[in-house]
Amino acid sequence: MTVIGRPLDRVDGRVKTTGAARFAAEHPYPGLAHAALVPATISRGRITTLHTGEASAVPGVIAVLTHLNAPELKPAPKVTPLRLSSLVSGTSVGYLQTDEVHWDGQPIAVVVAETSAAAREAAALVRADYAPAPAMVDFAAAEADARPQRGNPLMPGEAKKGDAEAALAAAPVALDLRYTTPPHHHNALEPHATTAVWDGDRLTVHDATQAIDWFRAHLAVRFGIPAADVRVLAPFVGGGFGGKVSIWPGTILAALAARATGRPVRLALTREDVYRTVGGRTPSIQRVALGATRDGKLTALVHTSVTRTGRVGGLPEQVTSQSRHLYDAENIFLRQSIVPLDLLSNTSMRAPGESIGTFALEAAIDELACELDLDPIELRMRNEPAVNPMDGKKFAHRMLREAYAVGAERFGWHERDPRPRSMRDGRWLVGMGVASAYHPSWRFAANVTVRLSADGTVLVRCGFQEMGMGGATAQAQIAADALGVPFEAVRVEYGDSALPMSPNAGGSAQTASVAGGVLEACGRLKRSLAAMARRTGGDTPRRSSGARTCPTPRPPPDRTRGSAGSPGRCGSWRTCCASSGAGSRPPRARSSARCGSIPTPARCACRGGSGCSTSARWSTRRRPRASCGAGS
């Protein structure tokens, strides 16, 4: 029975449920100090005077850091899709480096004290005088100033097929609708927190981050030290959903305060701090216009959007991305526009762009179904494309028809009354509807080490992030299945920048990216072990005609004993390793591998003495691929 798909306890379940798991704000250090932020109270302008005397007099206060006395920070790196780690910059602001204010809530001082209570008490006493400057903070009023966003390799800009506006005007049935969505704030169970420790010029940071490797690169740039001298640890993250992908002021200022005071510093944001210093989902204004024949065939699809960024950061969102793929309209026009405001930068939040864009598109499709007096599922199926509507490429995977057929049967769609307010359960009104959803299928580079020991245990090492989605459990299942060992025999090390690099936990890309590396490493591990057996005179899959057979890339049907050519045939990995003679002769193998167009080293080694240990390292890189399916 395969390990994948079986009900299993999570590998981190016990430490989390018993309280043994330590999150970013729970790591003790000798001499640990605590920090609190002081926010600006204007949207744009300059600080003319800072009054810090009362704050400094609070018992336990160690320092009040401002732009007048803070250590130097290097500028944030320029954002470019050619260097993905640059995307981690929440804003471009040099915190505590100048007297400029860019948004209401920007930290203008940091209080460091012996206790968190003293730090917060003192922070509340800091006052500032300002020279305000004109600011634009009204999104609706700024709509007319929006400009079309530029495309890039990660996010295409405008798209056009045919003449959608002309087709819309000529359509027998046409709808032209406007939708708005509000801003949303992140509220993870664990608010953002950082514990920063300097050892000379080496920085260790415990942080609630979804992007360990990117944080490491960013901190190295901002503090002017080599990336090798920065260690970021995040074995447990209490929820993220995009809010912890970017690096926000709290992380930078915790490390800055630790450097300034020579003490380990913990900075844990309050909920108010999160709202004022951590970006959220942008509001949107969207136009969805649909033209169709009387029988429901789409002749025109227009989808445009306006979203906002901050003047000092934020990225556009892929609001119209699903409209490129979901419906086979004869004419399509898509455009995304942005307007910069004097507000905190926006950031990723739970399917950024696609979620709000899908809402508008699918609401419009339902409106059209009502106008045509056509079943909403039937309307969607009449416009289900055979190939990608914009470029004619074949889909790698698309089973939307099958998904709707199964869903309609299981949910009793045929019993639905389409009239509004017609379905009740006692005093409750009951609604039943459908919607399609789209999300890109991304895969990024992931470096993985897999080590097999003579006692049959397996160690998987990769610096990926775990924020509650069960990543460590998933990779343990994948490794156990690939190697044909019990799930309990696999241990996974993760959440540390000292481990092989992982992509960030965002875009639903991490599990697939790391899994590709785990599978490749496990395959190479088995081939390496089989090769060692052949070189040292042990049994190999080809030479053995009896029950003792060393491993090949194919896993056994069960987890303990398998067919010929599987590790189960010789009883255990320990037996296979022993039969290769590795205990007395330590052969080494080195080979190179190529995944896509990226040449990658793979290392395998078997050492004598206490037994055999063989490991393989693998890096994967894949271009983004897209797939469609029914959404809920």
Side-chain angles (χ1 to χ4, degrees):
M1 178 181 179
T2 180
V3 177
I4 297 174
R6 287 172 51 191
L8 297 166
D9 289 339
R10 288 197 178 190
V11 298
D12 56 355
R14 180 177 294 276
V15 293
K16 285 184 174 179
T17 55
T18 60
R22 284 182 176 172
F23 291 81
E26 297 177 330
H27 294 273
Y29 278 92
L32 179 69
H34 300 263
L37 303 178
V38 177
T41 55
I42 62 169
S43 296
R44 190 178 180 190
R46 290 184 176 275
I47 303 166
T48 56
T49 309
L50 273 170
H51 304 278
T52 62
E54 291 183 69
S56 298
V58 172
V61 168
I62 300 168
V64 180
L65 301 176
T66 71
H67 67 280
L68 300 173
N69 62 355
E72 179 188 2
L73 268 180
K74 302 295 184 182
K78 184 178 179 180
V79 176
T80 169
L82 300 179
R83 186 175 61 200
L84 292 179
S85 63
S86 69
L87 303 178
V88 80
S89 300
T91 79
S92 60
V93 172
Y95 306 117
L96 305 191
Q97 301 299 294
T98 74
D99 60 0
E100 294 180 279
V101 174
H102 301 278
W103 80 87
D104 187 335
Q106 173 187 324
I108 58 172
V110 177
V111 176
V112 185
E114 298 291 350
T115 66
S116 60
R120 298 196 186 286
E121 178 186 353
L125 297 174
V126 176
R127 294 179 294 108
D129 299 327
Y130 303 97
M136 173 57 75
V137 297
D138 188 330
F139 174 62
E143 179 184 1
D145 298 326
R147 296 292 180 265
Q149 71 183 53
R150 299 176 181 176
N152 61 56
L154 296 179
M155 191 183 305
E158 184 176 299
K160 184 176 181 180
K161 183 178 79 169
D163 190 337
E165 294 289 359
L168 181 68
V173 180
L175 296 175
D176 201 331
L177 305 168
R178 176 184 170 96
Y179 296 93
T180 62
T181 59
H184 292 146
H185 290 283
H186 283 283
N187 277 281
L189 185 62
E190 175 202 24
H192 295 61
T194 304
T195 302
V197 185
W198 287 90
D199 180 8
D201 285 332
R202 299 179 67 88
L203 173 63
T204 298
V205 170
H206 301 269
D207 200 277
T209 173
Q210 295 174 234
I212 290 172
D213 187 67
W214 290 6
F215 268 46
R216 180 192 192 192
H218 185 94
L219 289 168
V221 170
R222 300 304 295 273
F223 288 97
I225 57 178
D229 290 342
V230 180
R231 187 179 183 187
V232 178
L233 298 105
F236 303 107
V237 179
F241 301 114
K244 295 174 181 175
V245 168
S246 294
I247 193 163
W248 299 103
T251 300
I252 300 292
L253 292 175
L256 191 75
R259 172 172 267 190
T261 61
R263 300 267 295 269
V265 169
R266 175 181 299 158
L267 202 165
L269 301 189
T270 65
R271 288 293 175 192
E272 181 181 349
D273 289 337
V274 173
Y275 300 153
R276 303 190 78 175
T277 65
V278 174
R281 192 192 303 280
T282 172
S284 77
I285 299 170
Q286 300 179 56
R287 177 196 177 205
V288 181
L290 302 174
T293 61
R294 292 289 178 185
D295 63 355
K297 184 68 178 73
L298 286 174
T299 59
L301 191 164
V302 177
H303 191 177
T304 64
S305 69
V306 177
T307 59
R308 76 149 186 94
T309 60
R311 292 193 195 277
V312 291
L315 295 172
E317 297 195 3
Q318 54 270 33
V319 179
T320 67
S321 62
Q322 69 288 322
S323 300
R324 297 171 177 267
H325 309 287
L326 284 183
Y327 297 109
D328 191 20
E330 296 176 11
N331 301 275
I332 299 175
F333 177 74
L334 311 173
R335 173 182 286 170
Q336 299 175 163
S337 299
I338 55 175
V339 57
L341 299 179
D342 297 301
L343 295 170
L344 174 61
S345 308
N346 66 304
T347 195
S348 302
M349 186 174 187
R350 194 68 173 180
E354 295 102 350
S355 56
I356 56 179
T358 298
F359 154 72
L361 175 64
E362 290 301 281
I365 291 291
D366 279 351
E367 293 278 1
L368 181 61
C370 184
E371 184 73 17
L372 294 169
D373 193 23
L374 191 63
D375 182 275
I377 293 181
E378 180 60 28
L379 175 60
R380 287 169 169 82
M381 294 303 96
R382 290 184 186 184
N383 292 282
E384 174 66 2
V387 295
N388 192 47
M390 293 305 300
D391 55 20
K393 291 182 180 179
K394 293 182 179 180
F395 292 109
H397 176 83
R398 189 176 180 111
M399 299 183 67
L400 199 54
R401 289 187 184 276
E402 295 83 349
Y404 268 122
V406 172
E409 178 183 357
R410 292 186 179 180
F411 282 86
W413 184 256
H414 64 284
E415 300 175 356
R416 167 183 174 269
D417 189 335
R419 296 173 300 167
R421 302 178 66 86
S422 61
M423 298 174 63
R424 287 183 174 272
D425 180 5
R427 62 187 290 265
W428 297 101
L429 289 168
V430 178
M432 181 181 290
V434 301
S436 299
Y438 164 86
H439 192 277
S441 178
W442 289 344
R443 289 179 68 181
F444 297 102
N447 296 337
V448 174
T449 298
V450 177
R451 175 173 294 172
L452 172 67
S453 297
D455 62 1
T457 59
V458 175
L459 175 62
V460 177
R461 304 176 78 244
C462 181
F464 63 82
Q465 295 77 200
E466 169 57 72
M467 56 180 187
M469 64 283 205
T473 304
Q475 302 306 332
Q477 287 177 283
I478 292 167
D481 195 70
L483 292 174
V485 301
F487 172 74
E488 295 76 13
V490 181
R491 183 167 62 90
V492 181
E493 292 182 352
Y494 61 94
D496 187 342
S497 64
L499 296 170
M501 182 275 297
S502 166
N504 70 63
S508 300
Q510 178 180 263
T511 298
S513 300
V514 176
V518 170
L519 289 171
E520 291 288 354
C522 288
R524 286 176 166 267
L525 190 64
K526 292 187 288 186
R527 291 192 293 272
S528 175
L529 190 56
M532 285 191 288
R534 289 193 295 270
R535 288 196 303 272
T536 56
D539 292 336
T540 68
R542 292 182 179 179
R543 293 172 56 188
S544 174
S545 59
R548 297 178 66 185
T549 305
C550 281
T552 69
R554 187 171 63 187
D558 60 46
R559 311 278 37 102
T560 55
R561 305 194 67 82
S563 58
S566 74
R569 191 63 184 266
C570 59
S572 69
W573 289 100
R574 181 196 297 271
T575 308
C576 286
C577 196
S579 70
S580 72
S584 57
R585 299 172 62 185
R588 292 179 178 270
R590 185 181 296 271
S591 61
S592 63
R594 184 177 295 272
C595 181
S597 61
I598 307 298
T600 309
R603 299 183 180 89
C604 303
C606 184
R607 297 177 176 84
S610 60
C612 171
S613 175
T614 182
S615 63
R617 295 182 61 193
W618 181 253
S619 172
T620 62
R621 186 184 298 273
R622 292 285 191 271
R623 293 182 178 179
R625 298 174 61 194
S627 61
C628 291
S632 58

